[in-house]
């Protein structure tokens, strides 16, 4: 087994949550974009555990419950006490007619439809349904899922969901679950740091699962959000370290940036970053993965995987030796912000 370094999510929760520097993101195991066999799904989860990963994240949305049910099978092997587990609220999965199924980006899903619900009752119903699918007594972290403009379709819709969370008792439900010890920490899992900052202005949260928005390509979160997290002792779980593809593939034809074809200016910037990486004989994807861990508020990174080989590849990338000169070259050429903390300064690598 590979020993992975752990970091405490924060120093404020009644029950400490120690996260391995790499976690396992469960969206791909919900058959995101393509079907994943049960054999490959279980092999991926087992490879993660065998390589020392102890933090596992999922959500009802991922395959309309399929990811959570696959996690349940693996957790029985691992032992619930041996892992840290997170899931999310905000989407209820309701039985429906075949033509009413709402798979979103997932394929081969159960016959369910999604209803957004951030009310008190919605939170409690969602969490209870997740516990049943996961076959566990509790999760360690419970996230409010997708109240961002990216997921809701507009800033107005995002604002409405945030109001729903507070006006209809959703946040009250989260705090009750935390105070009762049913979860150890509460947060939000979103695609934009701005809504995280808004939530911190409204109430107390322990952590955020941020998909992208702090990457080798994007560091605007350093302006205000990440300093606020340091000040408030809020941990960041970083998903999407490759900006949905381009930092893994490089600036190839058809490269994806934030789930769409990368625009010319992004392609050009990635080419320049690739040139620096190449000059140090470091794969771009390894630099992208390790860069995010340089920030002290980022406690773990959770790249996706659909089979054991992809898990092994992610672990190898985490362990890739990256010289400090690569980071300083990126900084001196203006390819990353001068105030971006560098992995060579705050190394997480075991």
């Amino acid at each position: 087994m590979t020993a992975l370094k752990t970091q405490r999510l924060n120093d404020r929760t009644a029950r400490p949550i120690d996260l391995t520097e790499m976690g396992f993101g469960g969206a791909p195991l919900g058959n995101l974009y393509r079907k994943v066999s049960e054999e490959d799904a279980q092999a991926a989860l087992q490879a993660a555990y065998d390589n020392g990963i102890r933090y596992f994240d999922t959500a009802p949305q991922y395959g309309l419950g399929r990811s959570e049910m696959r996690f349940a099978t693996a957790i029985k092997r691992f032992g619930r006490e041996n892992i840290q587990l997170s899931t999310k609220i905000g989407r209820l999965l309701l039985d429906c007619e075949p033509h009413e199924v709402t798979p979103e980006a997932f394929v081969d899903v159960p016959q369910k439809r999604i209803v957004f619900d951030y009310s008190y009752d919605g939170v409690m119903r969602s969490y209870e349904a997740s516990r049943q699918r996961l076959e566990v007594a509790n999760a360690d972290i419970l996230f409010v899922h997708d109240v961002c403009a990216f997921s809701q379709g507009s800033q107005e819709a995002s604002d409405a969901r945030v109001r729903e969370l507070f006006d209809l008792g959703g946040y009250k439900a989260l705090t009750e679950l935390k105070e009762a010890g049913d979860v150890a920490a509460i947060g939000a899992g979103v695609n934009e740091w701005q809504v995280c900052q808004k939530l911190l202005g409204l109430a107390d949260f322990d952590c955020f699962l941020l998909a992208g928005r702090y990457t080798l390509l994007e560091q605007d979160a350093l302006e205000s959000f990440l300093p606020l997290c340091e000040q408030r002792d809020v941990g960041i779980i970083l998903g999407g370290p490759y900006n949905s593809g381009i930092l893994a593939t490089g600036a190839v034809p058809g490269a994806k940036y934030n789930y769409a074809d990368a625009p010319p200016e992004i392609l050009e910037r990635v080419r320049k970053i690739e040139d620096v990486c190449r000059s140090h004989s470091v794969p771009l994807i390894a630099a992208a993965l390790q860069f995010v861990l340089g920030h002290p508020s980022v406690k773990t990174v959770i790249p996706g995987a659909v089979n054991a080989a992809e898990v092994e590849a992610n672990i190898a990338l985490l362990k890739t030796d990256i010289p400090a000169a690569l980071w300083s070259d990126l900084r001196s050429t203006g390819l990353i912000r001068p105030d971006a903390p560098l992995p060579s300064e705050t190394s997480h690598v075991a």
Side-chain angles (χ1 to χ4, degrees):
M1 185 185 79
T2 303
L4 294 182
K5 189 176 180 180
T6 62
Q7 283 210 107
R8 187 147 292 176
L9 180 67
N10 61 40
D11 291 318
R12 298 184 296 109
T13 58
R15 174 157 53 87
I17 300 175
D18 293 324
L19 302 176
T20 44
E21 58 190 335
M22 179 177 284
F24 187 97
L29 298 195
N31 293 341
L32 182 61
Y33 304 126
R34 64 187 178 92
K35 184 176 180 178
V36 178
S37 71
E38 186 66 25
E39 182 181 18
D40 277 347
Q42 293 305 323
L45 287 160
Q46 191 65 48
Y49 188 83
D50 290 346
N51 278 279
I53 290 173
R54 291 295 181 269
Y55 170 53
F56 294 82
D57 172 72
T58 185
Q61 179 205 15
Y62 303 159
L64 304 190
R66 189 174 299 282
S67 176
E68 287 183 319
M69 290 186 287
R70 284 174 161 171
F71 271 41
T73 301
I75 291 169
K76 289 173 187 174
R77 298 194 303 270
F78 305 158
R80 172 66 183 91
E81 70 280 5
N82 293 322
I83 66 167
Q84 303 285 3
L85 176 67
S86 60
T87 191
K88 307 178 182 75
I89 60 88
R91 288 176 173 88
L92 295 177
L93 306 181
L94 306 183
D95 293 332
C96 65
E97 297 300 320
H99 68 277
E100 296 177 314
V101 174
T102 51
E104 297 184 334
F106 299 88
V107 303
D108 190 38
V109 297
Q111 192 171 310
K112 301 284 186 179
R113 65 183 177 94
I114 287 171
V115 174
F116 282 98
D117 191 336
Y118 297 93
S119 69
Y120 182 97
D121 182 62
V123 169
M124 292 302 193
R125 287 173 61 194
S126 177
Y127 183 48
E128 178 57 32
S130 285
R131 288 195 290 190
Q132 290 182 18
R133 285 188 294 268
L134 287 161
E135 300 181 49
V136 298
N138 74 303
D140 297 290
I141 306 171
L142 190 58
F143 291 114
V144 177
H145 202 190
D146 285 348
V147 290
C148 52
F150 178 88
S151 299
Q152 295 296 331
S154 70
Q155 188 59 54
E156 292 74 18
S158 169
D159 293 343
R161 293 302 185 187
V162 171
R163 287 195 301 271
E164 182 181 335
L165 179 70
F166 290 96
D167 294 348
L168 299 185
Y171 181 76
K172 181 175 184 287
L174 291 170
T175 56
E176 286 183 5
L177 289 168
K178 182 180 173 184
E179 288 167 1
D182 288 310
V183 296
I186 58 173
V190 294
N191 291 276
E192 297 159 355
W193 62 263
Q194 290 88 345
V195 74
C196 299
Q197 186 165 302
K198 179 176 184 175
L199 290 169
L200 279 179
L202 295 170
D204 187 41
F205 288 89
D206 300 300
C207 55
F208 293 103
L209 197 170
L210 189 61
R213 309 295 78 78
Y214 184 69
T215 70
L216 207 51
L217 274 175
E218 296 185 39
Q219 295 114 47
D220 288 350
L222 289 168
E223 294 283 350
S224 55
F225 173 59
L226 287 175
L228 181 61
C229 290
E230 289 188 83
Q231 177 188 339
R232 297 271 294 268
D233 190 21
V234 172
I236 299 296
I237 295 157
L238 206 292
Y242 309 133
N243 280 118
S244 84
I246 193 168
L247 289 175
T249 64
V252 299
K256 300 299 181 184
Y257 170 70
N258 295 345
Y259 309 102
D261 289 342
E265 64 273 17
I266 293 295
L267 289 167
E268 181 58 27
R269 188 172 186 84
V270 171
R271 288 188 191 102
K272 291 178 179 178
I273 295 172
E274 283 185 283
D275 287 342
V276 174
C277 291
R278 195 175 296 113
S279 71
H280 292 280
S281 301
V282 171
L284 170 67
I285 187 173
L289 183 67
Q290 292 191 31
F291 170 76
V292 300
L293 289 168
H295 196 284
S297 291
V298 176
K299 306 304 182 180
T300 183
V301 60
I302 52 170
V306 297
N307 54 46
E310 289 189 4
V311 173
E312 299 282 356
N314 287 334
I315 292 289
L317 293 170
L318 183 70
K319 299 300 181 182
T320 297
D321 184 32
I322 298 181
L326 182 147
W327 306 118
S328 59
D329 285 354
L330 289 173
R331 180 184 276 174
S332 65
T333 54
L335 292 170
I336 56 175
R337 285 174 57 120
D339 56 343
L342 303 179
S344 56
E345 299 166 343
T346 54
S347 177
H348 293 225
V349 178

